Amino acid sequence: MSSAVARGVETKRLTRAWGVVRSESLKLWSLRPPRFIVVLMFLLPIVLATVRVLFVPLIVGTDLNTDGTSILFESISVGALPLAVLSATLGLIAITSEYTDDSLAASLAAVPSRVMLIVAKTVPSIGLSAISTAAGTAVAGWMASITLTSRGYTVPGLDRSAELLISVVAGAACFAVLGVAFGALARSAVSAAIFFVGIILLMPSTLFYLGGSWVPRLAELLPASALQALTTRAPAEPFALEGTLASELEPFTGFVVLVSGAALLLVVAIAIFVRRSVHLEVSRKVRASRASRSTVGAAGAARGLSFAGVVRSEALKAFTLPSSRWLLALSAGAMVFLAWRWALARIPADILVSPITAWDLTSQTFDEQMTAIAGGLALSQFFIAAFGATIATSDFATGNIRPALAAVPLRGWMLAAKTGIAVTSAMAVGAIALLLAAIVATPIQQDQGFPATLSASIVWISIAKGTIALGLVAALGCGVGMIARSASGALFALATIFVVVSTLTSQMERITVDTPLVWLTNIGRVFPSGRDAAETLGPNTFQPWFQYGNILQLPPGASMVALFLWAAGSLAIAWVLFRRRGV
């Protein structure tokens, strides 16, 4: 009898757990962004594989190498990184969508076991990402195999291709777990997205920028490097984040690193989530938000409507957000720290070929000072863009958008005020940080043997161009945030614009060079970059617009114009949508 009772209890537990998983799956699928992400995850590997094999030459005679193994493997793995990022986005949405109103409180009331709730959110995230990745990648591999075979190439057996496909699917599933873990740890869509983008996409290139013998060993433990090792099979070329080196780990080692890291982070997230008073905190935020609505409307009516008052109100809202202050501080700290590290790592004897002339040293000093001052924008531009997106989406995230529009019926004024606060704050902090970077780097460069001075024209030109570039990046972030109306959506869109596209562009450059599809690579070249916009060409230096193989390379002035057009275009689209959308 006791064994029958035990089996009945166990069956009841399993049924209840399945009901929770099913409920969370339906909840995730009912949201529009996950459905869009699933479709994108199916189509993206097909498109990338098509581009990879479309212009593979036809085998005629014996002049060409007929082994198509590397081409097939690259067709299967070319989408590994963007698919992983999309999978992580699914995980983030699954958990952070609860941090609005009282939805998390209601979920905890229905499912008191917080461990079960986190696991139930993880399972559908893994399932959706794995199914869509497997389907899209399988179709991509099949199309690539058929194309290569029809053009006279030999392809590896199905077992090797299936092994690589499973590796891509496993990488996407692990990143879905990472997304859930980051969301549970941060308790905020903004913080979770920033942590994820910083650790996954920005930290590898930052580590290599710092230099040091310890960097490769540490970088290989990061998820992006482990994913690269997992989805690379010789003789195919691995994907690599811009500014980083290829991982030296074996595929199985990369799998172990990625799985253990995802599992460890999820366990830590569950342990912290269980101990937090999430219910009370969410309820308190909701009560404060609702209490402020009548106050905002009454205060706006009492003061009367003026643009100066709108700007003052938006400034107070912006700088009461802890994330705004943190993002500005991180941006400034990144610029100063990277300038110090760059100046410390560069010596004329390691760069120039003997005998070193005065002209060579002067020209190199020009480049060194410019890079030390403006190089930090490669990292800080994302923080500044996130700052603009945070300001734009703060009212949507707290539920105060309706009372805010009741107080300020002119939506154009509100968008202009938010953009003005984001741009002026970014430019002010950027100018101070760039000046500090120059002050820190110049004495070190002098000690290293460069004739660097603070009075050099390139110092002030770099500070001015860097300040303008940061202002435009903040405007772009504000525009993207107002279009997305979601902090997590805006931050992942910005990560795609500033990081993922550049990585895909570097991968596609080798594939599309001297082919009619080179325009795909060139499209990636016109994406915005604050770092490129802040650069200055040296004296008597000419940079052609098109490099070898018709690859576009924008000069610094054109990069600044492209950044301006991106910022202006995003704000124009945001203004049109903000006026027409309901709230």
Side-chain angles (χ1 to χ4, degrees):
M1 184 66 181
S2 59
S3 60
V5 171
R7 284 196 300 270
V9 172
E10 186 66 23
T11 302
K12 185 176 181 181
R13 287 178 179 175
L14 291 176
T15 304
R16 186 166 180 270
W18 168 246
V20 176
V21 172
R22 184 173 179 274
S23 173
E24 293 299 328
S25 302
L26 293 174
K27 190 186 301 183
L28 180 62
W29 188 250
S30 67
L31 301 174
R32 185 180 301 174
R35 297 198 297 269
F36 172 76
I37 290 172
V38 167
V39 174
L40 187 59
M41 290 178 70
F42 174 76
L43 295 177
L44 184 62
I46 299 175
V47 173
L48 294 177
T50 301
V51 173
R52 178 64 184 93
V53 301
L54 190 59
F55 288 96
V56 170
L58 181 67
I59 295 294
V60 178
T62 59
D63 294 335
L64 296 177
N65 181 11
T66 61
D67 186 8
T69 301
S70 63
I71 301 174
L72 178 61
F73 284 177
E74 289 173 10
S75 301
I76 295 174
S77 63
V78 66
L81 179 62
L83 288 174
V85 173
L86 290 172
S87 299
T89 307
L90 274 178
L92 280 171
I93 292 174
I95 184 67
T96 58
S97 60
E98 299 279 11
Y99 292 107
T100 56
D101 296 331
D102 264 333
S103 57
L104 182 59
S107 297
L108 290 175
V111 186
S113 173
R114 299 190 180 190
V115 176
M116 182 182 294
L117 182 63
I118 293 294
V119 172
K121 289 182 177 297
T122 305
V123 170
S125 302
I126 294 176
L128 285 177
S129 62
I131 292 171
S132 53
T133 298
T137 307
V139 173
W142 174 75
M143 291 174 55
S145 179
I146 293 295
T147 304
L148 291 171
T149 304
S150 65
R151 296 184 183 183
Y153 291 86
T154 59
V155 296
L158 182 62
D159 55 340
R160 296 181 64 191
S161 300
E163 179 189 350
L164 179 57
L165 187 149
I166 293 172
S167 298
V168 175
V169 174
C174 289
F175 269 67
V177 176
L178 288 173
V180 174
F182 277 113
L185 285 171
R187 294 191 299 178
S188 160
V190 177
S191 302
I194 291 172
F195 287 150
F196 175 82
V197 172
I199 293 175
I200 305 299
L201 300 178
L202 299 179
M203 186 176 288
S205 56
T206 303
L207 288 175
F208 279 94
Y209 192 94
L210 298 179
S213 59
W214 53 273
V215 165
R217 293 190 294 271
L218 178 60
E220 287 181 344
L221 299 178
L222 296 177
S225 297
L227 177 68
Q228 178 199 94
L230 172 62
T231 57
T232 300
R233 297 292 187 279
E237 292 287 334
F239 77 83
L241 293 175
E242 189 174 10
T244 66
L245 300 176
S247 174
E248 297 182 359
L249 297 177
E250 294 295 325
F252 181 74
T253 308
F255 173 73
V256 171
V257 170
L258 191 57
V259 170
S260 58
L264 178 62
L265 190 64
L266 183 63
V267 170
V268 172
I270 290 175
I272 294 177
F273 186 73
V274 166
R275 295 177 178 274
R276 280 175 172 166
S277 56
V278 180
H279 188 131
L280 297 176
E281 179 170 345
V282 172
S283 299
R284 183 170 60 251
K285 288 182 178 179
V286 173
R287 288 195 300 270
S289 173
R290 290 173 177 171
S292 65
R293 293 179 182 177
S294 59
T295 305
V296 171
R303 288 195 305 268
L305 192 63
S306 69
F307 185 68
V310 175
V311 171
R312 183 169 57 251
S313 173
E314 292 299 330
L316 290 173
K317 284 193 291 184
F319 291 105
T320 54
L321 296 172
S323 56
S324 297
R325 300 192 295 270
W326 273 107
L327 288 169
L328 290 176
L330 286 172
S331 175
M335 285 186 280
V336 176
F337 177 74
L338 292 179
W340 168 77
R341 191 63 185 87
W342 179 268
L344 201 63
R346 307 284 285 182
I347 301 173
D350 295 339
I351 305 167
L352 300 173
V353 179
S354 298
I356 301 176
T357 65
W359 170 254
D360 292 337
L361 192 57
T362 301
S363 299
Q364 188 63 38
T365 301
F366 182 95
D367 293 336
E368 293 297 321
Q369 287 197 276
M370 183 267 295
T371 305
I373 296 170
L377 268 72
L379 177 60
S380 64
Q381 65 180 357
F382 177 76
F383 295 130
I384 292 297
F387 169 71
T390 301
I391 291 178
T393 59
S394 59
D395 285 329
F396 294 101
T398 59
N400 276 332
I401 185 63
R402 289 185 179 179
L405 289 176
V408 186
L410 299 176
R411 299 191 179 192
W413 279 22
M414 178 176 289
L415 177 60
K418 288 180 179 292
T419 305
I421 294 299
V423 170
T424 54
S425 302
M427 293 182 71
V429 171
I432 295 172
L434 290 167
L435 179 60
L436 288 175
I439 294 173
V440 168
T442 301
I444 299 175
Q445 289 174 327
Q446 291 173 347
D447 294 339
Q448 299 288 76
F450 293 102
T453 62
L454 277 175
S455 59
S457 60
I458 185 57
V459 172
W460 303 103
I461 291 173
S462 298
I463 292 175
K465 294 180 72 173
T467 301
I468 295 171
L470 289 173
L472 292 175
V473 167
L476 173 60
C478 198
V480 171
M482 194 60 74
I483 292 170
R485 300 204 295 184
S486 161
S488 58
L491 291 172
F492 273 97
L494 292 170
T496 301
I497 291 172
F498 286 109
V499 182
V500 176
V501 169
S502 63
T503 301
L504 284 177
T505 299
S506 63
Q507 288 182 264
M508 302 305 293
E509 180 178 332
R510 178 177 54 85
I511 300 170
T512 61
V513 64
D514 276 332
T515 71
L517 290 180
V518 71
W519 59 270
L520 287 173
T521 298
N522 291 340
I523 286 177
R525 297 288 185 178
V526 299
F527 269 64
S529 171
R531 169 70 175 83
D532 293 344
E535 285 186 345
T536 303
L537 293 178
N540 301 322
T541 301
F542 171 75
Q543 178 180 311
W545 282 63
F546 290 93
Q547 309 291 332
Y548 169 76
N550 293 321
I551 298 295
L552 178 65
Q553 183 63 52
L554 295 180
S559 295
M560 183 69 79
V561 173
L563 180 57
F564 171 79
L565 292 176
W566 272 86
S570 67
L571 287 173
I573 295 172
W575 180 71
V576 172
L577 294 178
F578 191 41
R579 285 173 58 112
R580 296 185 177 184
R581 279 175 173 173
V583 294

